[in-house]
Amino acid sequence: MGFFGYMRDCLARVLSRKKTLLLLGGCFLLFTVLGACFAKTPAVYEYHLRICERFLDRVCYSSRNVFLIFTERFAGDALILILISAAGIHTAALAVPAFVLAYRAYLFGGTLAVLFTVYGFPGAMIAIVFYLPVRLLTDAVFLAATALASGRGRGLCRDFKELLLDSAVFLLLILAVCLVELLLLVVLFHTPGNLV
């Protein structure tokens, strides 16, 4: 079976874990709502505000080369994906993707709340047109990887070849999402001069 055949098989195995996906998706939604609800509390407001400022300064309105931004974003997402995939080695390690997804969902909700309330109409447009679709696609890949890791993590994983191939499939999907983000950056925010 070729790689694209394996990719279809991998995605079919993800879809076969519907209950796990629904549970993970429900938890993700819960932490997103919690992040949005508590975004204005004094303990975390400055933290969310700094994250939004950094996102706007370093990604959206940066004067840096967009390919450098793409490389940084892909490297960060790939590291998270590797941590999630590696958690499938043993049941005890499944706490790692649970924490990662809960933290990302909480930040996602808080960031959306700050973009809409603090930055007004421009922030809402950035959230709807750029931040929301890219973030949802990225987290969908992480949820799929977590669903497979949780199925593999019962006991000790001995099929490392399957784990590596699944990781390669998800890395390819993350690469595709980062390419979509790159395209949106070029179209929406960056002048042709920032391409080189």
Side-chain angles (χ1 to χ4, degrees):
M1 173 170 36
F3 183 75
F4 288 104
Y6 189 84
M7 179 182 279
R8 281 194 302 273
D9 175 64
C10 177
L11 296 178
R13 282 186 285 120
V14 169
L15 292 175
S16 71
R17 301 191 55 78
K18 289 182 180 68
K19 290 180 183 176
T20 306
L21 284 172
L22 285 172
L23 178 65
L24 290 170
C27 291
F28 189 87
L29 182 62
L30 172 66
F31 277 94
T32 300
V33 171
L34 289 174
C37 290
F38 293 112
K40 287 293 186 89
T41 56
V44 293
Y45 175 71
E46 289 296 324
Y47 181 65
H48 285 300
L49 191 60
R50 276 196 309 273
I51 288 172
C52 287
E53 287 173 354
R54 191 171 61 218
F55 174 73
L56 293 172
D57 289 341
R58 294 185 183 177
V59 178
C60 298
Y61 299 117
S62 175
S63 59
R64 296 181 307 148
N65 183 310
V66 290
F67 294 107
L68 177 62
I69 296 170
F70 162 80
T71 304
E72 290 173 352
R73 304 280 285 174
F74 176 69
D77 290 343
L79 178 62
I80 292 170
L81 182 65
I82 289 167
L83 286 173
I84 290 172
S85 295
I89 292 174
H90 195 274
T91 310
L94 291 175
V96 173
F99 174 78
V100 167
L101 289 175
Y103 178 73
R104 280 182 63 86
Y106 186 81
L107 285 184
F108 178 54
T111 302
L112 282 178
V114 170
L115 284 173
F116 275 91
T117 58
V118 175
Y119 291 95
F121 183 74
M125 286 297 97
I126 289 170
I128 293 168
V129 176
F130 180 67
Y131 180 73
L132 190 62
V134 170
R135 187 63 185 266
L136 286 177
L137 287 171
T138 304
D139 286 326
V141 175
F142 291 155
L143 286 171
T146 303
L148 281 192
S150 65
R152 186 180 291 116
R154 295 180 187 146
L156 181 65
C157 171
R158 290 180 176 82
D159 194 350
F160 290 104
K161 181 183 176 185
E162 183 183 81
L163 189 146
L164 291 174
L165 286 171
D166 287 348
S167 299
V169 168
F170 292 125
L171 277 172
L172 193 61
L173 293 174
I174 287 291
L175 179 63
V177 173
C178 288
L179 287 171
V180 168
E181 183 181 44
L182 173 68
L183 183 62
L184 287 173
L185 275 175
V186 170
V187 170
L188 299 172
F189 300 105
H190 289 261
T191 61
N194 288 349
L195 298 178
V196 291

